Amino acid sequence: MKNPDSERVLRAVEMAKKAHDGQFRKTGEPYIVHPLAVKKILEEWGMDEDTIIAGILHDTIEDTPLTLNDIKQEFGESVAFLVDGVTKLSTARNGMRDIDTYLPETKDNFLRLMIALGSDIRVLIIKLADRLHNLRTLSALPPDKQKKIAKESLEVFAPLADRLNMGLLRVEMADLAFKYVDPRRYEQLKNLIERYNKSAAKSLQKIEEEVSEALRKEKINFTISGRVKSVYSLHKKLAKHNQNMGEIYDLTALRVIVDDITDCYLTLGVIHSLYTPMGGRIKDYIAMPKQNGYQSLHTTVITKDKRVVEFQIRTKEMHEYAERGLAASFYYNEQKVTENYKKGKIEHLPTNLLWITELQTTAARLREGKKVDLKKLKLNLFSDKIFVYTPKGDIIDLPVGAMPLDFAYRLHSEIGDHVVGVKINGKMSNMNKKLEQGDIVEILTSKNQTPKISWLDRIITPHARQKLLRALKLRPSENETSIPPLKKK
Ligand code: MN
């Protein structure tokens, strides 16, 4: 149930209505429909009042006679700060209109963008809500604008949502946008997913029942449900696997949500005692969370009727965080996440929460008029990460200290396995060399190269390490699917 709007929020709505009076959207509706939709999205995400007010006013500085000072007078420093951030962000974006032209030379723009965002994460969250509503109403724009906005959403905003672990938002944004970027492909894959799910429905239900019964026997408290793969993530995965549907193991997945971490591992055991796990497809994101803080156990099994099914097992807290990410943890839930962490319900505090806490503290100091070393803050924000580039201009973020092999495996395990050399900023370089912020890295490969054990010393990311270990174990076979699954215990 939604709380009634506070007096401050009502005042902001009035102010925005007056400011946008006489303006219309491309849909023909009065402009105010848009800020009100953004307000609603932010409320659904559980954001705080200042963020909601800033969301209502987010387009006023750019498009109406209202000034930042007006907003400051009326709603205080914090709201003004947020509106200013969103306005600056859209100004920055104006300088890099077309994603096709800006990707190769994003270096400065992108970092500037990130720093602008980083000064208060709520700026980013407002921007995401703004973009989500624009995507939902994209059909009103002319086709060339649709494509441009859709493409940018796919390549910048959906990945940002992912970075914040806002899973629901990422999926909605990516699928909305992909429909415009490649309508035929979208329809094709959507149909494929629907047909597949229809044909799998019956046997999935049986699997669900079998697993439920086994879990009840073990006295594990759980809920189980199917999750449908998004169209865009299927598209991306197919691209990665040469359009080979046989390589897609997670078209159908069942999600099991349990009370605590111990039950996660127990559940994994129960599932493996029922079905044959596929070798190399057990992923422990609880012990090793993804960079965005995502935690879950994944396993792919072969059922009795030869169906390949992925299971995702996680606690309620992990699930909430996976779906709503930062927005879920930002406001009241941040405390909850921190508490759960202390109680041991979550083993790793999502790394982004740490820097957000830091940001909040700094933002509060700013508001109180205390001195803050912004330079230090910005550095801190990204001190654990560097951004490097492929010769084509794609941006890859890696932890500080990453080496060429980390980079190569990040691109693709095929590239990693066949590295013979590296050029950094156009010059041949050593494989032991630590990559630095802004390096342009070109990996040289040869078909005849094979992975070496000694490479383990030239790798620092768990991702690359895992890929290399797998490659070493799998030699001489190149093909993951040709490896027989683990024997059932
Ligand atoms: Mn807007």
Side-chain angles (χ1 to χ4, degrees):
M1 265 264 289
K2 188 185 158 307
N3 295 325
D5 287 335
S6 71
E7 180 272 329
R8 270 178 100 218
V9 169
L10 289 173
R11 241 187 319 133
V13 170
E14 280 317 306
M15 194 180 200
K17 266 188 187 154
K18 224 185 258 166
H20 288 294
D21 190 36
Q23 298 178 342
F24 292 89
R25 298 201 90 212
K26 287 279 173 355
T27 53
E29 301 160 304
Y31 196 84
I32 191 67
V33 167
H34 168 65
L36 290 182
V38 170
K39 163 182 182 272
K40 190 159 167 268
I41 292 168
L42 291 169
E43 284 165 354
E44 282 164 8
W45 291 351
M47 297 309 293
D48 63 315
E49 191 181 86
D50 279 352
T51 308
I52 289 166
I53 293 174
I56 297 166
L57 297 168
H58 80 272
D59 277 330
T60 54
I61 302 297
E62 220 183 344
D63 302 337
T64 81
L66 274 190
T67 66
L68 208 53
N69 219 1
D70 298 333
I71 293 175
K72 203 191 283 182
Q73 299 274 313
E74 208 46 40
F75 298 104
E77 196 82 48
S78 163
V79 172
F81 180 80
L82 293 174
V83 175
D84 188 37
V86 180
T87 309
K88 280 195 181 127
L89 196 57
S90 83
T91 322
R93 211 175 61 80
N94 285 341
M96 40 187 200
R97 270 300 180 209
D98 193 337
I99 188 118
D100 285 330
T101 60
Y102 92 62
L103 259 186
E105 54 203 23
T106 14
K107 196 157 143 182
D108 293 335
N109 285 338
F110 188 74
L111 277 179
R112 220 185 294 139
L113 184 69
M114 293 289 284
I115 288 165
L117 296 172
S119 58
D120 189 326
I121 200 69
R122 293 177 299 175
V123 170
L124 167 59
I125 291 180
I126 296 168
K127 193 67 211 167
L128 285 170
D130 174 42
R131 177 49 61 106
L132 179 60
H133 183 245
N134 284 334
L135 275 175
R136 283 177 179 167
T137 52
L138 201 55
S139 63
L141 291 188
D144 60 319
K145 272 208 155 167
Q146 287 177 346
K147 275 234 160 85
K148 201 186 278 177
I149 291 178
K151 212 156 175 229
E152 192 188 51
S153 303
L154 272 188
E155 293 180 30
V156 178
F157 288 94
L160 278 176
D162 184 46
R163 227 186 150 97
L164 302 178
N165 202 13
M166 296 170 77
L168 288 177
L169 174 66
R170 173 184 56 82
V171 166
E172 182 178 353
M173 259 192 173
D175 277 9
L176 276 171
F178 187 48
K179 207 157 109 182
Y180 288 96
V181 170
D182 194 345
R184 279 185 49 201
R185 181 75 172 149
Y186 176 85
E187 278 308 315
Q188 190 191 18
L189 291 181
K190 192 170 156 254
N191 289 335
L192 192 147
I193 291 173
E194 271 166 16
R195 253 183 313 176
Y196 187 88
N197 282 332
K198 229 172 160 182
S199 78
K202 237 187 164 170
S203 89
L204 273 183
Q205 204 190 335
K206 211 180 120 215
I207 296 164
E208 222 181 286
E209 280 159 19
E210 280 171 356
V211 171
S212 299
E213 200 192 309
L215 288 175
R216 273 194 294 269
K217 254 189 214 152
E218 296 297 323
K219 306 248 179 319
I220 295 171
N221 217 345
F222 70 96
T223 57
I224 186 167
S225 60
R227 88 95 178 78
V228 177
K229 196 168 178 63
S230 81
V231 174
Y232 185 61
S233 63
L234 176 60
H235 168 73
K236 268 200 351 212
K237 209 153 199 182
L238 279 170
K240 207 166 122 192
H241 293 286
N242 294 321
Q243 306 303 324
N244 182 0
M245 273 304 286
E247 299 263 347
I248 312 293
Y249 299 120
D250 60 346
L251 205 52
T252 33
L254 287 171
R255 211 168 256 161
V256 187
I257 297 174
V258 296
D259 287 343
D260 54 34
I261 291 180
T262 314
D263 281 356
C264 289
Y265 289 102
L266 282 175
T267 303
L268 184 74
V270 167
I271 290 167
H272 285 175
S273 70
L274 283 173
Y275 313 115
T276 315
M278 280 177 76
R281 298 204 56 89
I282 304 167
K283 294 182 196 129
D284 187 346
Y285 295 122
I286 292 180
M288 266 206 290
K290 288 191 184 178
Q291 232 173 27
N292 62 10
Y294 174 88
Q295 288 188 290
S296 207
L297 297 175
H298 290 191
T299 182
T300 306
V301 301
I302 302 169
T303 65
K304 288 153 203 163
D305 55 352
K306 297 277 173 287
R307 230 169 235 291
V308 178
V309 180
E310 181 178 285
F311 281 90
Q312 302 176 349
I313 308 155
R314 50 176 92 141
T315 65
K316 286 187 201 85
E317 288 79 14
M318 292 171 191
H319 182 59
E320 168 92 341
Y321 187 66
E323 301 237 290
R324 299 179 55 216
L326 205 55
S329 43
F330 181 77
Y331 184 43
Y332 49 90
N333 280 327
E334 191 203 341
Q335 246 170 337
K336 205 170 90 189
V337 174
T338 319
E339 263 167 41
N340 282 327
Y341 172 63
K342 283 187 196 143
K343 281 192 218 141
K345 278 194 182 171
I346 302 176
E347 265 190 17
H348 297 260
L349 195 60
T351 42
N352 49 9
L353 280 188
L354 294 175
W355 61 263
I356 278 142
T357 311
E358 188 186 337
L359 270 178
Q360 283 176 294
T361 320
T362 313
R365 286 180 67 89
L366 272 177
R367 261 171 256 141
E368 290 159 15
K370 287 186 188 145
K371 251 184 98 179
V372 166
D373 189 349
L374 271 181
K375 223 165 128 199
K376 207 171 123 209
L377 171 75
K378 285 169 195 168
L379 279 177
N380 262 347
L381 234 189
F382 301 107
S383 62
D384 58 335
K385 275 195 191 77
I386 53 167
F387 295 90
V388 296
Y389 304 87
T390 69
K392 280 194 323 200
D394 294 321
I395 304 164
I396 309 290
D397 66 307
L398 288 166
V400 168
M403 288 185 272
L405 278 168
D406 293 301
F407 176 84
Y409 275 105
R410 174 64 89 73
L411 295 180
H412 200 285
S413 49
E414 276 298 302
I415 297 178
D417 289 348
H418 298 105
V419 173
V420 288
V422 60
K423 276 187 183 171
I424 299 178
N425 301 322
K427 284 196 203 107
M428 284 305 296
S429 181
N430 196 306
M431 298 301 289
N432 291 321
K433 172 113 173 38
K434 284 183 184 156
L435 299 178
E436 278 171 45
Q437 184 71 273
D439 278 346
I440 300 168
V441 188
E442 183 181 354
I443 297 293
L444 310 173
T445 58
S446 155
K447 282 206 300 284
N448 304 322
Q449 177 67 294
T450 54
K452 307 276 183 286
I453 290 199
S454 63
W455 288 5
L456 282 171
D457 297 336
R458 297 172 192 175
I459 269 176
I460 70 149
T461 56
H463 172 83
R465 199 185 152 76
Q466 236 176 29
K467 296 264 166 170
L468 175 59
L469 285 175
R470 187 183 296 178
L472 290 169
K473 227 181 294 166
L474 291 191
R475 309 247 117 232
S477 166
E478 301 267 1
N479 188 347
E480 201 179 303
T481 54
S482 67
I483 300 306
L486 291 173
K487 280 272 144 46
K488 248 175 87 175
K489 281 186 207 105

